[in-house]
C-alpha cells in the first residue's frame, strides 16, 4: 500500500468521498485482496482508537490531525533523485508526529484506573504470640495476592483483636481487591475517623475504592481531604488532576 491509499481509507471512513469515488473504492475492494486486507486492518485500528479514547470530540480531533498530517507529509516530491531519501525522512517525521498526537490525546482524555495507583509493598504484620500462625497466613496470602484467603485470615484475627488498625487497613485493601466494596469502605471510613497511623492511608484507599467503581466524583471529593503531610499526598494530587 502507498500513502495515498491510507488517505483514501480515511476519507472513505469519514464519508468524504464523492459518490463516484466511493463506488470506485468499493469496486476495488472486491477485486484487490491486498487492498481489502489493508483497509480492514486500518478500519479496525481506527475503531480501536475511537473506543480507547472514549471521547467523541477527542477522537474526531485525533482523526482530523491524522488526516492533515498525512496530506502534509505524504505529498509527492518533484525531485526524482531524492524520492527514496526524503520519503524515508517524511515517514519518520509523520510517524513521530502522529504518535505524539495519539499519546497526548489519549493521556488527556482517558480516565485513570485503580491499578495505576494501587501500589503497595509486601506487608510484615506485627507478631502477637498465640496469633502467630494466623498472622503468617494472612501475611503470606496478602503478599501473594491471594486476597480471598487473606480476607478469611484477617476476619478471624479481628474476632480476637477488633480494634487493631493494622488488621483493619489490610483487610480493607484485600476487600477492595476482591470488589467487596461495602466491607472495605466500612473499615476505611472507621479508620479515617480515628487517629491511628493508618488514618490518611485509609482516606487514600477510600478514594481508590470509589475510583475502582468508576465513581469519579466521590473519589475526587475524598482525594481533596488528604492533608499535605500524608504519605500519599503527591499521588493524590496527580490523581486529582486526572479526574478534574
Amino acid at each position: 500500500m502507498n500513502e495515498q491509499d491510507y488517505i483514501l481509507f480515511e476519507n472513505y471512513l469519514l464519508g468524504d468521498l464523492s459518490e463516484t469515488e466511493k463506488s470506485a473504492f468499493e469496486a476495488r475492494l472486491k477485486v484487490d485482496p491486498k487492498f481489502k486486507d489493508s483497509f480492514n486492518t486500518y478500519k479496525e485500528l481506527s475503531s480501536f482508537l475511537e473506543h480507547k479514547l472514549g471521547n467523541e470530540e477527542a477522537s474526531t480531533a485525533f482523526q482530523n490531525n491524522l488526516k492533515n498530517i498525512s496530506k502534509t507529509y505524504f505529498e509527492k516530491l518533484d525531485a526524482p533523485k531524492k524520492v527514496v531519501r526524503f520519503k524515508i525522512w517524511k515517514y519518520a517525521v509523520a510517524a513521530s508526529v502522529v504518535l505524539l498526537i495519539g499519546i497526548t490525546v489519549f493521556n488527556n482524555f482517558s480516565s485513570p484506573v485503580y491499578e495505576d495507583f494501587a501500589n503497595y509493598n509486601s506487608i510484615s504484620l506485627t507478631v502477637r504470640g498465640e496469633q502467630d500462625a494466623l498472622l503468617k497466613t494472612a501475611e503470606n496470602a496478602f503478599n501473594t495476592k491471594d486476597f480471598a484467603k487473606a480476607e478469611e485470615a484477617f476476619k478471624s484475627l479481628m474476632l480476637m483483636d477488633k480494634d487493631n488498625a493494622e488488621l483493619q487497613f489490610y483487610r480493607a485493601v484485600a476487600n477492595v481487591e476482591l470488589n467487596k466494596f461495602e466491607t472495605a469502605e466500612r473499615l476505611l471510613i472507621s479508620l479515617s475517623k480515628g487517629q491511628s497511623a493508618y488514618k490518611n492511608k485509609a482516606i487514600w484507599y477510600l478514594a481508590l475504592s470509589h475510583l475502582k467503581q468508576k465513581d469519579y466524583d466521590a473519589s475526587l471529593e475524598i482525594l481533596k481531604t488528604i492533608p499535605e503531610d500524608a504519605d500519599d499526598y503527591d499521588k493524590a494530587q496527580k490523581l486529582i488532576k486526572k479526574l478534574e
Side-chain angles (χ1 to χ4, degrees):
M1 293 296 102
N2 59 53
E3 57 269 23
Q4 294 302 323
D5 284 331
Y6 291 108
I7 296 173
L8 188 60
F9 294 163
E10 186 65 10
N11 287 338
Y12 179 82
L13 292 174
L14 292 174
D16 288 345
L17 297 181
S18 66
E19 285 301 316
T20 301
E21 291 171 331
K22 181 179 178 182
S23 296
F25 180 92
E26 292 173 346
R28 185 177 174 186
L29 286 176
K30 295 177 181 178
V31 299
D32 189 338
K34 289 185 178 180
F35 182 81
K36 182 178 180 180
D37 288 343
S38 295
F39 172 67
N40 287 336
T41 299
Y42 186 90
K43 182 170 64 174
E44 289 173 5
L45 176 59
S46 180
S47 176
F48 172 77
L49 286 172
E50 284 188 15
H51 175 71
K52 290 296 287 182
L53 290 172
N55 181 290
E56 184 176 351
E57 182 179 347
S59 179
T60 301
F62 178 85
Q63 291 198 23
N64 287 338
N65 276 317
L66 177 60
K67 182 179 177 182
N68 291 333
I69 290 166
S70 296
K71 289 181 177 178
T72 300
Y73 288 102
F74 293 145
E75 291 176 347
K76 297 292 184 180
L77 294 178
D78 294 329
K81 293 181 180 180
K82 296 183 179 180
V83 168
V84 175
R85 180 180 176 184
F86 276 92
K87 185 174 287 187
I88 294 172
W89 176 79
K90 288 195 298 179
Y91 272 118
V93 171
S96 298
V97 174
V98 170
L99 179 61
L100 286 173
I101 290 173
I103 291 172
T104 301
V105 172
F106 180 78
N107 286 339
N108 286 340
F109 292 95
S110 61
S111 297
V113 294
Y114 169 81
E115 289 75 14
D116 290 341
F117 292 89
N119 301 314
Y120 40 80
N121 298 321
S122 296
I123 64 173
S124 180
L125 300 173
T126 306
V127 175
R128 290 180 176 80
E130 63 184 30
Q131 300 176 20
D132 285 2
L134 196 52
L135 280 165
K136 186 58 65 176
T137 297
E139 181 181 299
N140 290 339
F142 189 94
N143 290 339
T144 57
K145 301 187 184 303
D146 185 350
F147 295 111
K149 187 174 182 179
E151 153 62 9
E152 292 178 5
F154 283 128
K155 184 176 181 179
S156 296
L157 285 164
M158 286 185 63
L159 291 175
M160 297 177 278
D161 194 0
K162 65 183 180 66
D163 295 323
N164 186 299
E166 182 181 37
L167 297 178
Q168 288 181 51
F169 176 72
Y170 288 115
R171 184 186 176 194
V173 173
N175 275 277
V176 173
E177 292 287 347
L178 293 169
N179 296 330
K180 295 182 178 180
F181 301 112
E182 185 176 349
T183 298
E185 290 175 13
R186 174 174 52 80
L187 292 165
L188 292 170
I189 290 171
S190 176
L191 284 170
S192 70
K193 292 180 178 178
Q195 297 300 321
S196 74
Y198 292 92
K199 176 182 175 68
N200 291 332
K201 279 284 186 185
I203 299 173
W204 168 240
Y205 260 88
L206 187 59
L208 292 186
S209 176
H210 285 283
L211 176 66
K212 193 175 186 184
Q213 298 171 73
K214 295 182 171 56
D215 187 353
Y216 302 123
D217 290 339
S219 181
L220 182 60
E221 290 305 309
I222 295 167
L223 288 167
K224 291 178 179 179
T225 68
I226 295 177
E228 292 185 22
D229 60 349
D231 291 341
D232 299 301
Y233 178 78
D234 289 341
K235 288 187 289 186
Q237 295 306 303
K238 181 179 178 181
L239 182 51
I240 286 172
K241 289 180 181 179
K242 286 182 171 289
L243 290 173
E244 285 184 330

